[in-house]
């Protein structure tokens, strides 16, 4: 049998927030992968190195965690008033599928810098020094993200003194505005609160009946109280990721929350939809040692939040889940708001396993319904490597 040579495809490996992934221009993909479907999924799986029964991604660009098994496709926007279309693919680690059901808020921070550096923005809009505003159409969830990207000497400024807990080195700050982040239609569940309630009684077999806030803002998220499931909210990754019973419990909560939100029709479908919804647990402020060893004091934060992504406790916080946290914190009566003291917060600083994060949101009531116009947070981004990725020619 003749050996099949590898092909090479232009790509950029970037960090955005506390995630990193492989970025492609749509026109650079192999022709079969330029349209949605099995060929595209197989191509991206091979790029990342999935499915990998060893869960190491040795033979691919992935990092064998939910934060590092990510892919991005960028194209000139077909949407009026936008610069680029951004499509995100969360690649499963040990299973042969790519989840397209949600956005990555962390990698959203890299889209603006990537667009500027790769010719998607008119050079006339790029000053020698200043800020470039990039309007991004997030194609997975059909929402607008506005990125404010610093430039110096006409180039994207990547270095700086902005520190982001969960990222080792400081970098330049990129401010993101997630516009109208709540769901409106279709797969998102139909509304910001799909059940119509700020708090529901969620029946979870084998666990019990839990108070839960089921919200779709940024990404569908199931919030429960830490105390109700035997936690304090100060846990780090090892306390949960090393406990198979705990992981099974969280997956059960996630599955029944997904069904209650209308995201799936049968609980078994959750296994094929790993990226959404997220499940998170909240608690009032308390002091703890972050994963870096740095002390976070109760007085430094408004509440504690821990969230799971792709079946594991996240090492910091997903950007989309941070949008959900900021949105829920603005609305009195949600579990997030109650954990933060029971009042509405225009911005909250919450504690996560790697430290703290501040996120703000603007909300108002219209006709008895809550409307959130935008959520705002700061992240950073940096190019780690650029050139080509190579995959066997028969990989897709």
């Amino acid at each position: 049998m003749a050996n099949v040579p590898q092909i090479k495809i232009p790509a950029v490996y970037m960090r955005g927030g506390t995630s990193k992934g492989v970025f492609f221009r749509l026109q650079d993909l192999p022709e079969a992968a330029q349209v949605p479907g099995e060929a595209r999924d197989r191509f991206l799986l091979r790029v990342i190195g999935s499915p990998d029964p060893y869960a190491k991604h040795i033979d691919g660009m992935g990092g064998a965690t939910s934060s590092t098994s990510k892919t991005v496709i960028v194209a000139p926007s077909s949407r009026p008033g936008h610069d680029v279309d951004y499509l995100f693919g969360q690649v499963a680690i040990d299973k042969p599928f790519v989840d397209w059901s949600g956005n990555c808020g962390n990698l959203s921070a890299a889209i603006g810098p990537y667009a500027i550096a790769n010719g998607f923005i008119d050079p006339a809009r790029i000053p020698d020094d200043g800020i470039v505003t990039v309007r991004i159409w997030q194609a997975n969830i059909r929402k607008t993200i506005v990125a404010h990207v610093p430039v110096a000497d006409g180039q994207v400024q990547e270095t700086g003194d902005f520190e982001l807990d969960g990222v080792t080195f400081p970098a330049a700050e990129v401010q993101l505005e997630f516009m109208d982040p709540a769901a409106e239609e279709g797969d998102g569940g139909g509304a910001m609160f799909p059940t119509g309630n700020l708090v529901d009684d969620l029946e979870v077999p084998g666990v019990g009946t839990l108070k839960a806030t089921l919200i779709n803002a940024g990404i569908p998220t199931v919030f429960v109280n830490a105390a109700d499931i035997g936690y304090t909210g100060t846990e780090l990754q090892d306390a949960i990721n090393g406990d198979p019973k705990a992981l099974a419990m969280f997956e059960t909560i996630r599955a029944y929350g997904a069904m209650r939100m209308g995201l799936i029709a049968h609980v078994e479908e959750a296994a094929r939809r790993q990226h959404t919804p997220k499940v998170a647990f909240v608690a009032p402020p308390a002091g703890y040692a972050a994963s870096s060893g740095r002390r976070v004091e109760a007085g430094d934060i408004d509440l504690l939040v821990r969230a799971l992504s792709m079946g594991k406790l996240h090492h910091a916080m997903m950007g989309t889940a941070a949008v959900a946290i900021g949105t829920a914190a603005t609305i009195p009566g949600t579990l997030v708001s109650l954990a933060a003291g029971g009042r509405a917060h225009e911005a909250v600083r919450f504690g996560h396993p790697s430290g703290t994060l501040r996120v703000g949101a603007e909300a108002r009531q219209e006709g008895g319904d809550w409307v959130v116009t935008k959520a705002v947070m700061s992240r950073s981004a940096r190019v780690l490597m650029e050139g080509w990725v190579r995959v066997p020619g028969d990989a897709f």
Side-chain angles (χ1 to χ4, degrees):
M1 179 179 177
N3 293 324
V4 177
Q6 293 208 97
I7 61 172
K8 64 180 186 179
I9 302 96
V12 177
Y13 197 47
M14 288 192 75
R15 177 186 66 77
T18 57
S19 295
K20 57 184 177 180
V22 186
F23 285 59
F24 299 97
R25 296 189 305 178
L26 177 63
Q27 64 265 36
D28 290 336
L29 292 176
E31 185 175 355
Q34 290 186 15
V35 294
E38 290 185 11
R40 173 182 285 180
D41 287 4
R42 288 197 302 269
F43 168 73
L44 295 177
L45 283 160
R46 196 65 173 92
V47 167
I48 293 298
S50 292
D52 183 357
Y54 305 106
K56 294 292 186 291
H57 280 157
I58 295 299
D59 199 25
M61 296 295 293
T65 69
S66 68
S67 300
T68 55
S69 56
K70 297 175 181 287
T71 57
V72 168
I73 300 171
V74 180
S77 187
S78 57
R79 186 85 174 181
H82 293 74
D83 298 304
V84 291
D85 291 345
Y86 152 44
L87 186 66
F88 168 68
Q90 177 75 59
V91 179
I93 296 168
D94 59 350
K95 297 180 177 63
F97 73 90
V98 181
D99 195 328
W100 301 99
S101 66
N103 178 33
C104 175
N106 277 298
L107 288 189
S108 298
I111 302 301
Y114 178 88
I116 295 169
N118 286 273
F120 289 98
I121 306 302
D122 184 347
R125 289 175 48 195
I126 304 173
D128 289 337
D129 297 282
I131 299 292
V132 177
T133 299
V134 180
R135 290 184 62 83
I136 301 159
W137 180 248
Q138 212 303 314
N140 301 74
I141 59 174
R142 303 184 61 79
K143 292 290 184 179
T144 299
I145 302 170
V146 181
H148 302 277
V149 183
V151 296
D153 297 325
Q155 304 294 319
V156 174
Q157 179 187 333
E158 296 180 291
T159 58
D161 57 7
F162 175 73
E163 295 186 352
L164 180 64
D165 288 342
V167 177
T168 306
F169 303 106
E173 179 179 5
V174 176
Q175 188 179 82
L176 296 175
E177 297 176 292
F178 295 83
M179 309 304 294
D180 186 26
E184 292 176 347
E185 58 185 354
D187 195 45
M192 179 159 53
F193 296 102
T195 66
N197 303 316
L198 301 183
V199 177
D200 284 284
D201 289 324
L202 181 64
E203 295 183 9
V204 183
V207 179
T209 300
L210 303 175
K211 295 295 183 183
T213 289
L214 310 174
I215 187 171
N216 192 341
I219 201 164
T221 305
V222 179
F223 288 105
V224 298
N225 289 319
D228 292 347
I229 52 174
Y231 292 108
T232 64
T234 62
E235 288 77 15
L236 303 185
Q237 281 189 294
D238 288 349
I240 290 174
N241 293 347
D243 184 347
K245 290 184 178 179
L247 294 177
M249 176 192 69
F250 281 113
E251 180 59 19
T252 303
I253 294 171
R254 193 184 75 87
Y256 279 87
M259 192 162 62
R260 189 71 176 273
M261 294 177 80
L263 299 172
I264 57 176
H266 304 285
V267 70
E268 296 81 8
E269 296 174 23
R272 301 192 299 273
R273 187 187 175 119
Q274 290 189 342
H275 184 52
T276 59
K278 303 302 185 189
V279 59
F281 54 102
V282 299
Y288 65 99
S291 56
S292 65
R294 181 173 68 86
R295 184 75 184 171
V296 176
E297 301 297 343
D300 298 335
I301 55 178
D302 297 298
L303 77 158
L304 295 162
V305 190
R306 301 295 190 261
L308 284 83
S309 179
M310 301 294 284
K312 300 286 186 179
L313 185 71
H314 197 275
H315 71 102
M317 183 55 62
M318 305 80 80
T320 48
V323 172
I325 293 165
T327 300
T330 68
I331 300 172
T334 67
L335 295 187
V336 176
S337 174
L338 292 171
R343 62 178 179 84
H345 292 259
E346 293 183 358
V348 289
R349 183 174 295 278
F350 60 87
H352 57 72
S354 293
T356 68
L357 179 65
R358 186 180 187 275
V359 60
E362 297 178 2
R364 66 181 186 275
Q365 275 190 298
E366 291 184 356
D369 295 326
W370 283 97
V371 176
V372 176
T373 54
K374 67 179 177 179
V376 182
M377 75 179 81
S378 290
R379 316 301 270 170
S380 61
R382 186 171 76 86
V383 172
L384 303 177
M385 183 178 289
E386 54 190 347
W388 299 269
V389 295
R390 294 179 183 248
V391 297
D394 61 354
F396 57 98

